[in-house]
Amino acid sequence: MTAAVLWLAVVSAMAATDASPPQARAASPRPAADRQATLQLAQKALAAGNRAEAKRLLASAAERFESVEALLQLSRLQSEDGDAAGALGSLRKARAAAPNSEGVLSAFAQMSLAAGAPVPAILALESLARICPTVAQHHYLLGVALMRAGDMPAAVDALRVAERLEPDRALTLVALGIALNSGQLYADAKPFLARSLALEPENVDIVAALAEAEQGVGELDAASAHAQRALSKSPSHATANLVAGLIAMNQSRYSDARSAFERAVAADPQSPKAHYQLSLACTRLGDTAAAAEHVEKYKQTLREYESRVKALRAATGPMRDAPPKGRDPKPRESGKQ
Amino acid sequence: MTRALALLASSLLLAAPSRDGGFRDITQAAGVNFQHHAAPEKKYIVESMSGGVALFDYDNDGRPDIYFVDSLTVDTAGDPTKARSALYRNIGNLKFEDVTDKAGVAHPGWGMGACTADVDGDGWEDLYVTAVGGNKFYRNNHDGTFSDVTARAGLAASGWSAGCGFADFDRDGDLDLFVSRYVKIDLQQLPQFGRDKTCQYRGIPVQCGPRGLPGESDFLFRNDGGLRFTEIAEQAGVADPRGLFGLGVGWFDYNEDGWPDLFVANDSGANFLYQNQKNGTFKEVAFPMGVAVSQDGAEQGSMGVALGSYDNNGRFSLFVTNFSEEYNALYHHEGAHFTDLSFRSKTAASSLPFVGWGTAFFDYDNDGLLDIIAVNGHVYPQLDKVKLGASAGYRQRKLLYHNRGDGTFDEVAAQFGAAMMEERVSRGLSAGDLDDDGRLDIVINDLDGSPQILHNEISEVGNWLIVRLKGKAPNTGAIGAIASARTGTVTQKRLVQSGSSYISQEDKRLHFGLGKAAQVDSLEVTWPDGTTTKRENVKANQVIEISQSQSPQ
């Protein structure tokens, strides 16, 4: 999902509300009118195709009137123009102006997530989840952000809350299933994935995740059927190919396994699991050179993954878990949302 | 595999065991008052990892005796007498006598684990104790006492040793010794409790390590005869120059070429499988053999190791205990390689909440199929102060897996007595028949306080056979020998091991569950030198001894 697409949901939710600090609005009726006029001018400039002028006007409104709405609109334009840093900068200013605004925090978190920065997203979403504990979306997004940071146990906790608050949302169910799969809790994952598949029968990510859970609990026929179903729609799907490879390994079809793992590696070159399993398939086929090569790639991706997660953890502050017993986190497949 | 197991089931015709009795904690009644010492808060990792337990017959009376390893703490490190390891003599009828002081094995220092073997070939088992700051080698004096001959033998080692095991890796007839080492630690400069994010868990300060701390290399001591050893790990290729955190050790000939290979469980790193090259060196093959990491490529926090042919396929599979949120790994030996069957065997999911340590394959109901036990306990006492989610707390119950005979296991601890479910902080474990009733008992060393002796009182079990092997000197304990017991069309294999489980020593007598079979049709021993001894029609329900020197070959 692109930053711009994510952004649409945020801004549409906020379109009717100016999130400027209440005290600023109450104390300054005239500036409020000026602000509104400036925002309208920006809209006109945008409608005329003059994005630069629109951004200038919004920046001006943000500075003169401390308008959070202007900052949000500005960040949207920046995001659409590929200026993720600028967009996040605008949202940081909005957050400074309205630190407890649900809309700002949500926008900031989603923008951070879309920009591949789960740590600030986690911090914003944790605040949101405390401020609005009954809003399922905040817990869902917190779970997604935690998954991307590699903290699967905490992700499961957040997603379980989201699922309790909104039991029949396919996105939440599949995220929870994937997080549980990542923690190797396949039996726990299966019912959530089955429910999400009932809600979205054509979703290839759900079919593949269900195949993974079934493979984990040893239901190989069902796993194979679901993996093939996913692959018929998306032949390069990383998870579906991994499952197909594992099933082939179980059946000593090492050549098929190797092909499937090669497709999994091609789809997700950063997956230590795919490289590791590919090395095993190569070993079984007697191709020791390729096996050694993939062991090295496995080690490299593992170290890269660990470094990534370590850096993320270092930035999240003391509220987040350190890896158990000082261990680096395990290489787990991130959810595909 | 399935056909073989089906044949076994039909030939043994064994009914499901009665759970009556189960495993009963007889520690106090047996006269065992040992207490393992550990600092209450475990502020340093060195206070969380001890200790092992050894079952061995030090007085040659035919009964397994028990040695519990004790440890010091940072506060008591300066005074070795503050820790008292203990030797308990088995005097029969499930009674034990504390003979520690007479034996002279009370104070090996900051003890970790133990392994035993008749190292000097005099027919009496000697004792090796791993420790922090120097190991101890106690030579058996044949009179109930031991002499500390560590320095003379050149077996002191340095740093923080953990696992150990004797084997004749060079097949020169005498026993060599491998010692795994863990974290490089300076007691004067310990990493500060909770000092940074690698020393925190769920937002609270905990001990640091092992990640973030430097690891230690490992040792291989070659027996040069005359009770002298030379350290050759580097030239043999088993030194682990990267210093992974070595713990459990298992010697076994995985590729059946007659030369002992070596598995080393590494905490927070890839495990090692060293293939013996038959020329004094080893080649590390854990990755291609499929036993280095988990199925998803995760380097697990591996602690203990068990070896067993649980499906009677004639090969020894590996069971490795791991940290919480990791699964205990069952690596099935398929001939050319191992396959991680943890989830398919249904042993994985139940282990995820627990931090696993001592473990064993053992046939507790004598049905001819090896079951599995694993004992657990966390390393952070601070855990009990925080929300844990699905993870277990500091004190944890045991896991007991009943072998269903179809490649899968049922976790049945709750059916076998309160002692199995009691939450404790366990470490070392050893299996053996303490009273020669044919039912395997369990001895466990805990980190905090008293140990557990769990007497197997399952009322309906199958027939059995216990075999004591006596090898040619100097390896009189027949370390590395394999006994194969054929009943009908099924053959069970057992291996004589020095060093197993989590830094522990299991009873070297070999136990076979026989189900309804009244005899073993054929019992064949393959000695470490490759010679064999065969017995026919061996009656069930007895302890027998087979001697290499007196046997027709």
Side-chain angles (χ1 to χ4, degrees), chain B residues 26-338:
Chain B
I26 61 161
T27 313
Q28 294 302 315
V32 172
N33 302 308
F34 170 75
Q35 295 286 306
H36 188 278
H37 294 91
E41 292 180 88
K42 283 82 182 171
K43 286 189 170 181
Y44 308 99
I45 190 170
V46 71
E47 295 176 326
S48 283
M49 305 299 287
S50 180
V53 57
L55 279 183
F56 74 121
D57 183 10
Y58 85 99
D59 56 356
N60 272 344
D61 67 354
R63 291 187 284 255
D65 310 297
I66 308 174
Y67 183 71
F68 294 105
V69 181
D70 194 10
S71 73
L72 295 164
T73 67
V74 170
D75 287 343
T76 64
D79 182 359
T81 64
K82 294 290 186 187
R84 183 179 185 273
S85 298
L87 178 62
Y88 285 91
R89 179 170 172 254
N90 187 337
I91 56 177
N93 298 316
L94 295 174
K95 299 290 182 190
F96 290 80
E97 173 190 9
D98 186 338
V99 295
T100 313
D101 294 332
K102 181 189 173 191
V105 292
H107 304 298
W110 194 316
M112 287 296 299
C115 56
T116 67
D118 175 16
V119 179
D120 53 3
D122 61 1
W124 296 75
E125 283 204 77
D126 308 301
L127 171 66
Y128 190 78
V129 184
T130 59
V132 178
N135 303 335
K136 293 288 185 201
F137 179 42
Y138 295 110
R139 185 185 191 186
N140 195 322
N141 296 324
H142 319 168
D143 59 358
T145 71
F146 290 80
S147 295
D148 178 353
V149 295
T150 314
R152 176 189 151 189
L155 289 175
S158 58
W160 180 350
S161 298
C164 63
F166 289 93
D168 182 12
F169 87 91
D170 51 5
R171 293 192 54 168
D172 64 352
D174 56 27
L175 292 171
D176 313 291
L177 171 67
F178 179 82
V179 176
S180 67
R181 293 197 301 168
Y182 194 57
V183 166
K184 190 171 286 182
I185 201 154
D186 179 352
L187 292 175
Q188 307 307 314
Q189 290 185 316
L190 289 162
Q192 187 187 345
F193 176 80
R195 69 177 175 194
D196 57 33
K197 289 185 65 63
T198 62
C199 314
Q200 293 187 353
Y201 185 83
R202 297 192 186 258
I204 58 169
V206 296
Q207 63 183 233
C208 304
R211 279 286 171 98
L213 302 178
E216 292 269 32
S217 60
D218 300 329
F219 290 133
L220 177 62
F221 295 97
R222 186 188 62 217
N223 191 335
D224 296 330
L227 214 59
R228 293 188 188 281
F229 290 78
T230 302
E231 204 287 301
I232 57 157
E234 194 173 338
Q235 71 188 66
V238 296
D240 179 22
R242 288 185 297 150
L244 297 189
F245 310 120
L247 291 173
V249 166
W251 282 103
F252 71 125
D253 178 13
Y254 89 87
N255 57 354
E256 298 174 344
D257 64 356
W259 293 73
D261 310 299
L262 173 65
F263 180 85
V264 182
N266 286 316
D267 189 355
S268 306
N271 300 316
F272 293 138
L273 178 59
Y274 292 114
Q275 185 190 74
N276 196 323
Q277 300 298 291
K278 311 177 192 175
N279 60 1
T281 69
F282 292 81
K283 180 181 178 188
E284 207 285 297
V285 296
F287 271 103
M289 286 299 107
V291 296
V293 294
S294 74
Q295 180 178 267
D296 59 3
E299 295 174 338
Q300 308 211 94
S302 299
M303 317 289 192
V305 185
L307 291 164
S309 183
Y310 70 91
D311 57 353
N312 292 324
N313 71 347
R315 307 183 193 101
F316 294 100
S317 296
L318 282 160
F319 187 76
V320 182
T321 51
N322 288 310
F323 205 76
S324 61
E325 293 167 21
E326 302 168 347
Y327 61 85
N328 290 341
L330 179 59
Y331 298 110
H332 180 251
H333 196 326
E334 314 222 323
H337 56 82
F338 293 79

Side-chain angles (χ1 to χ4, degrees), chain A residues 184 277 298 322 325-328, chain B residues 200 209 211 267 295 297 380:
Chain A
Q184 294 147 341
Q277 287 295 336
Y298 150 76
K325 208 181 169 192
R327 289 164 170 78
D328 288 343
Chain B
Q200 293 187 353
R211 279 286 171 98
D267 189 355
Q295 180 178 267
Y380 308 135

Side-chain angles (χ1 to χ4, degrees), chain A residues 13 65 84 140 172 181 218 294:
Chain A
F65 309 116
Y140 163 74
T172 304
N181 274 351
H294 285 289

Side-chain angles (χ1 to χ4, degrees), chain B residues 518-551:
Chain B
Q519 68 172 27
V520 169
D521 299 331
S522 168
L523 180 64
E524 182 169 298
V525 179
T526 303
W527 301 98
D529 63 5
T531 60
T532 58
T533 300
K534 202 168 182 180
R535 296 276 187 274
E536 306 282 352
N537 303 323
V538 180
K539 291 203 182 314
N541 303 329
Q542 60 170 331
V543 180
I544 65 167
E545 180 174 291
I546 298 179
S547 172
Q548 183 179 15
S549 57
Q550 297 168 358
S551 300

Side-chain angles (χ1 to χ4, degrees), chain B residues 278-534:
Chain B
K278 311 177 192 175
N279 60 1
T281 69
F282 292 81
K283 180 181 178 188
E284 207 285 297
V285 296
F287 271 103
M289 286 299 107
V291 296
V293 294
S294 74
Q295 180 178 267
D296 59 3
E299 295 174 338
Q300 308 211 94
S302 299
M303 317 289 192
V305 185
L307 291 164
S309 183
Y310 70 91
D311 57 353
N312 292 324
N313 71 347
R315 307 183 193 101
F316 294 100
S317 296
L318 282 160
F319 187 76
V320 182
T321 51
N322 288 310
F323 205 76
S324 61
E325 293 167 21
E326 302 168 347
Y327 61 85
N328 290 341
L330 179 59
Y331 298 110
H332 180 251
H333 196 326
E334 314 222 323
H337 56 82
F338 293 79
T339 297
D340 185 338
L341 293 186
S342 311
F343 281 95
R344 263 206 280 170
S345 67
K346 303 193 187 302
T347 57
S350 54
S351 71
L352 285 167
F354 303 105
V355 180
W357 302 86
T359 183
F361 280 106
F362 77 130
D363 182 1
Y364 67 76
D365 52 3
N366 292 347
D367 65 353
L369 294 163
L370 287 173
D371 311 297
I372 303 173
I373 186 169
V375 294
N376 306 299
H378 218 290
V379 293
Y380 308 135
Q382 296 80 11
L383 266 190
D384 288 341
K385 299 174 188 167
V386 296
K387 175 180 169 289
L388 292 168
S391 296
Y394 178 57
R395 295 176 179 277
Q396 301 178 352
R397 71 174 180 91
K398 297 162 189 47
L399 290 166
L400 181 65
Y401 295 102
H402 178 249
N403 190 335
R404 292 168 53 91
D406 60 359
T408 68
F409 293 79
D410 289 326
E411 204 288 297
V412 295
Q415 300 173 32
F416 285 88
M420 298 300 286
M421 298 301 288
E422 184 183 348
E423 293 182 341
R424 302 174 70 103
V425 188
S426 298
R427 293 294 184 262
L429 171 148
S430 181
D433 185 1
L434 298 174
D435 55 351
D436 286 353
D437 66 353
R439 294 174 289 188
L440 286 173
D441 311 301
I442 295 291
V443 182
I444 301 160
N445 196 356
D446 275 16
L447 180 63
D448 295 309
S450 64
Q452 274 190 306
I453 299 175
L454 301 182
H455 183 236
N456 184 338
E457 299 181 354
I458 301 168
S459 55
E460 287 184 26
V461 296
N463 294 324
W464 53 276
L465 179 70
I466 291 177
V467 182
R468 182 191 301 118
L469 297 181
K470 193 168 179 183
K472 279 183 186 167
N475 183 7
T476 67
I479 306 290
I482 291 173
S484 304
R486 183 176 61 78
T487 306
T489 58
V490 174
T491 300
Q492 301 181 56
K493 279 194 176 182
R494 301 287 186 270
L495 167 69
V496 183
Q497 275 187 277
S498 169
S500 60
S501 180
Y502 175 69
I503 59 175
S504 293
Q505 175 65 57
E506 65 184 3
D507 186 3
K508 292 190 197 67
R509 300 183 307 171
L510 304 176
H511 171 272
F512 295 91
L514 302 178
K516 293 288 187 188
Q519 68 172 27
V520 169
D521 299 331
S522 168
L523 180 64
E524 182 169 298
V525 179
T526 303
W527 301 98
D529 63 5
T531 60
T532 58
T533 300
K534 202 168 182 180

